[in-house]
Every structure is written in structure tokens, then in C-alpha cells.
Amino acid sequence: MGPLISCDDLLVTPSPQPPTEPTQPHGHNGHEHHGPGHSAEHSSGPSAGPSGGHSHGHGHSHGHGPAAPVSKHLRKVIAAVLIPFATAVLIGMVVLWPGGAPGHERTGVGFDRQTQQGKVVSLEHVDCKSVNAAQVPPTADPTTPEGREAQAAQTGECAKATVEVGTGPDKGRTFVEIVQPGAPRQLTDGQEVVVAYAPDAPRDLQYSVIDVNRKIPLAVLAGIFAVAVVLVGRMRGLFALIALIVSFGVLTLFILPAILQGSNPLVVAVVGASAIMLIALYMCHGLTARTSVAVLGTLVSLLLIGLLGSVFIDWASLTGNTDDNTGLIHGLYPDIDLSGLLLASIIIGSLGVLDDVTVTQTSAVWELHAADPSMGPRGLYRAAIRIGRDHIASVVNTLVLAYAGAALPLLLLFSIANSSMGSVANSELVAVEIVRTLVGSIGLVASVPVTTALASLVVSADRPGSPNVTPASPPVRGGRGRRRKR
């Protein structure tokens, strides 16, 4: 790998002053060992250091640009590992490429319904009894939820919405939607909605409102997110957004259709996650040895997550069919292995946090080595693992809380039912989330020592070679006291 431009290169502003000493060769890391007066000599004066990632002007500061290039031999070793891996991922994508999701006849159930866009053109409030006159009066116990709902349908004030279909072959057609007073979703005049179309139903019942149209607020929020990332992250933030788009492209164009075509979900997830990892890491952090070490650490952790997930999903007899959505998938595509789909979701879900941990740990090792090149692999590992322990504590807590927040309504239902923690954890609906959380967390914890050890060995084994040049002399000072400011 030659001298390639990384995201860091684009963030470093070159010094306006030319170097006053001979430039060191490309392989040197820019460090010199001075006597006790090292910090004093570099506390002021013109820039005397070469372009090696350091600025020796006002204070000895380490630039946060790309790491010093490693030796040619070490680059060959890393390439010998990663090039076959990347080739295997590419071959896997070519072999498993689905060419689109398979077609099927819509069932009209859940997400498998034909939908069109619509708009509420008028809204009036009417007596519920007048619009529900054909219904049988409630006879249920009013102390039960069913009884209260039946009474509200006859005694409350309902909303009578006239909705106009805005897309499809029946564009311009209107229908009436009755909204009960206790319904969780209330309509307003002029509101954009999503309507379901049932062609086999009677004409008056072919259209119904199933949701509101949230495209505009979601698009605005996504725009704010993109602007914030670019403003703060600059070029690195821009590349991160591009990598995010590519990741969604791999997910929607390869992973999901390949699983629907009947390919093994685990194999598809491993190939797709590996492709996302390679593209995202190298696009954001450059084709460098530091990024390659992060890739290796992420790969080892993903393999561990896949192994543990496979063992415990089988041991706990988790089928993966836990709700209406997975039941619908199984009904439409009975050949899909839902337990394999569960394992694939664990691998893909852990990938994003793994990238963060491995890149951070690799960068920590590289910066520690730049600060003290005399540190050996053991010293680098001990120093960097202390950083990793803090990272472990925060990341694991974040992962657990994220899953708990997503399952909060479910946890509330168990709390209402006064179920014990043992019975709650034993249900497959919760056991799936427990296995997902703990397997992912184990992989995250393991990624810290694995990546730190790899980075420490790689950066310590690097011997770029000593430049055969005269060391740069310290700047000339007038007298023994402090040099006067000009």
C-alpha cells in the first residue's frame, strides 16, 4: 500500500512557514531524543520540525493527522491477511447476490398490504351513536376494557373524516373514516395519511386509514442530522455519511433480498456485515495499517459473536418467531430459517458498536506509541487497556439500555401482569433480547483486549528504518535567558 489519503489527511492544515531544516525521509516518525532541555527548546521559536505530523512551533504538539507509515514488510504482512479476506467477501457477494426480492401475492395483512397516499379534506364531530347505529348496543361489563370501548362507541363524540386518495389508479376518490374518541390515533383536517387498499373488498370498504404520513418531519430530522455531522466532523463527517448510505445500500440491496431468496441468513449476514465493515472503516479512516488492525479486531469479535450466538440460540431453543411480524414472514416464506435470521440480526446489530470500539482502541495505541516510541508491546498494551476499560463500561451500559428502551412497552406489560423476573426472562420474547444483548456485549468486551493486543504487536514490530541525516539543531537563542518576543 502506497501513500494513500485518509480522512485525517483532509483535516490537517499545512503550516504556512516552510521548514528551516532538511526534511526527514518519509519513513521516519519525526521523534528525536533530546536532553533535559527538550521542552524548553520547543517552547518557542520558529518551526524547526519536518512534516512528520508534528508542529514544533509554539509548544511541542502532536498533530492528529494520519499515523506515520509503517514499514514495507509490515504492510505486506497486513495485506497478506486482508486482501484474501476482502476477496472472499467480494466473491461471496457475487455468489449470493439475489437480483431483487422474490415476488408474492399480497395477503392484505399487516405490512403486506397495498398502500396509497391520502389527505383528510374535511372533518366533523358527530355523535357516535348516529354513525354506529348498526352496531349492537354494548352488553359487556363496563368495568372491563372491552365494555368501556363498546360503551364509548355508542355514547361518545366521534370524528367523521372525509379522506381523498392522492395516488394510485383511484386518485381523487374519497371515502369516509370514523374515528372513535378512544382511538390512539386522532385525525386532523388537512392531515396527510397512509391508506390501505383492499381490491377484493366491497367498494365502500376498499380504503381505510392505517397511519399518518411522517415523511416530511423525518426528512427534516435527517437533514438536521446530516448538517450537524458535516459541521462538526467536516470531511470525516461527510465520509461517515457516505459510508452510512453505502451500509444501508448493502442492507437493502443484498442482505434482505438474499435472505428472502432462501440463502442461509448467517452466511448472508457474515458476508454483508464484512462488506459494510470494510467499506465504512476504510472510507472513514483511510487505507492505513491502523485501520487494517481495527478491521482485524472487528473481524475476530464478529466471529466470536457468531459462535456464541449460534451456541446459545440452539441451547435455549429460540425459534426467532416471537411476534406477528416474524409470523407473517414465516407464513409468506416458510423456507426462511428464523433462528438463523435471529443470529444474523445479532451480528449486524453488534457491528456498529464494534467499529467504534476497535477504531478507538487502535488509535489509542498508535497515539501512545507516537508519544513514547520506546514503549514495548507490553507497556503499550497496559496503557491502552486502561483506556479500553472505561470504554467497556460505557459501551456495555449503552447497549443494555438501548435494548431495554426498545422493549420498554413489553416490560411494562410484564410489570402490569405482576410476573416474576424468572418467568419474564424465561419467555422467548424476552429471552431473545437477553441473548441478543449478552452475546453482543461479550463480543464488545472481547474486542478491547483483542484489538489492543493486535495494535500493540503491530506498532511495536514496525521498524521503518533510521534516516541517515543530520539531526535538526535547536533554534538559535539570544543569550541564556528567555528569548524576547518580537
Side-chain angles (χ1 to χ4, degrees), residues 32 34 37-45 48 56-60 475:
E32 297 180 71
H34 296 275
H38 174 67
S39 59
E41 293 293 330
H42 291 284
S43 62
S44 61
H56 295 285
H58 300 285
H60 186 99

Side-chain angles (χ1 to χ4, degrees), residues 345-362:
S345 69
I346 294 175
I347 293 174
I348 295 173
S350 303
L351 178 60
V353 188
L354 273 177
D355 289 351
D356 174 40
V357 173
T358 55
V359 169
T360 300
Q361 284 304 113
T362 306

Side-chain angles (χ1 to χ4, degrees), residues 1-10 26 65-69 75 282 285-289 291-292:
M1 293 184 290
L4 298 169
I5 297 176
S6 69
C7 297
D8 292 329
D9 293 310
L10 302 174
H26 185 62
R75 290 203 304 269
Y282 283 119
H285 304 284
L287 285 168
T288 63
T291 308
S292 300

Side-chain angles (χ1 to χ4, degrees), residues 53-180:
H54 299 275
S55 174
H56 295 285
H58 300 285
H60 186 99
S61 61
H62 292 275
H64 295 281
V70 296
S71 63
K72 184 177 181 180
H73 173 71
L74 195 54
R75 290 203 304 269
K76 288 182 178 179
V77 172
I78 295 174
V81 176
L82 289 177
I83 290 179
F85 169 64
T87 303
V89 171
L90 181 61
I91 293 174
M93 292 190 70
V94 172
V95 171
L96 297 172
W97 192 262
H104 69 277
E105 291 187 8
R106 293 186 179 272
T107 62
V109 178
F111 288 103
D112 196 40
R113 288 181 284 188
Q114 298 184 40
T115 59
Q116 302 293 344
Q117 302 300 314
K119 182 179 181 179
V120 179
V121 293
S122 68
L123 187 70
E124 60 177 317
H125 295 280
V126 297
D127 185 21
C128 287
K129 192 172 183 179
S130 65
V131 294
N132 295 320
Q135 295 185 3
V136 178
T139 57
D141 185 359
T143 61
T144 64
E146 294 82 3
R148 289 193 294 269
E149 183 178 355
Q151 278 192 342
Q154 293 290 329
T155 60
E157 186 180 56
C158 294
K160 183 179 180 181
T162 301
V163 181
E164 181 181 354
V165 180
T167 58
D170 293 330
K171 182 179 179 180
R173 177 178 168 182
T174 61
F175 65 95
V176 175
E177 182 83 9
I178 304 299
V179 183
Q180 303 293 337

Side-chain angles (χ1 to χ4, degrees), residues 107-365:
T107 62
V109 178
F111 288 103
D112 196 40
R113 288 181 284 188
Q114 298 184 40
T115 59
Q116 302 293 344
Q117 302 300 314
K119 182 179 181 179
V120 179
V121 293
S122 68
L123 187 70
E124 60 177 317
H125 295 280
V126 297
D127 185 21
C128 287
K129 192 172 183 179
S130 65
V131 294
N132 295 320
Q135 295 185 3
V136 178
T139 57
D141 185 359
T143 61
T144 64
E146 294 82 3
R148 289 193 294 269
E149 183 178 355
Q151 278 192 342
Q154 293 290 329
T155 60
E157 186 180 56
C158 294
K160 183 179 180 181
T162 301
V163 181
E164 181 181 354
V165 180
T167 58
D170 293 330
K171 182 179 179 180
R173 177 178 168 182
T174 61
F175 65 95
V176 175
E177 182 83 9
I178 304 299
V179 183
Q180 303 293 337
R185 181 182 61 248
Q186 297 294 321
L187 300 178
T188 58
D189 192 10
Q191 187 174 32
E192 300 285 342
V193 294
V194 179
V195 298
Y197 175 55
D200 297 333
R203 179 174 174 82
D204 293 341
L205 302 177
Q206 285 182 336
Y207 284 96
S208 60
V209 177
I210 59 172
D211 210 340
V212 299
N213 192 331
R214 304 180 180 91
K215 291 182 179 179
I216 294 179
L218 292 179
V220 171
L221 182 59
I224 295 174
F225 165 73
V227 171
V229 169
V230 173
L231 285 178
V232 177
R234 298 187 181 179
M235 290 303 299
R236 178 170 295 185
L238 178 60
F239 280 116
L241 289 177
I242 296 174
L244 180 63
I245 295 173
V246 173
S247 299
F248 273 106
V250 173
L251 183 66
T252 56
L253 298 178
F254 171 69
I255 296 178
L256 299 181
I259 292 176
L260 292 178
Q261 289 280 14
S263 300
N264 188 299
L266 177 58
V267 176
V268 172
V270 169
V271 173
S274 299
I276 292 173
M277 174 184 64
L278 291 171
I279 295 171
L281 286 180
Y282 283 119
M283 181 174 292
C284 287
H285 304 284
L287 285 168
T288 63
R290 179 163 61 183
T291 308
S292 300
V293 172
V295 168
L296 290 175
T298 305
L299 177 61
V300 172
S301 302
L302 282 178
L303 292 176
L304 176 61
I305 289 173
L307 177 62
L308 286 176
S310 178
V311 169
F312 282 94
I313 287 174
D314 183 63
W315 192 6
S317 300
L318 299 178
T319 63
N321 191 357
T322 55
D323 54 23
D324 294 339
N325 294 327
T326 53
L328 178 60
I329 293 173
H330 183 64
L332 294 175
Y333 302 96
D335 294 333
I336 292 181
D337 180 12
L338 292 182
S339 61
L341 187 63
L342 172 61
L343 180 57
S345 69
I346 294 175
I347 293 174
I348 295 173
S350 303
L351 178 60
V353 188
L354 273 177
D355 289 351
D356 174 40
V357 173
T358 55
V359 169
T360 300
Q361 284 304 113
T362 306
S363 297
V365 172

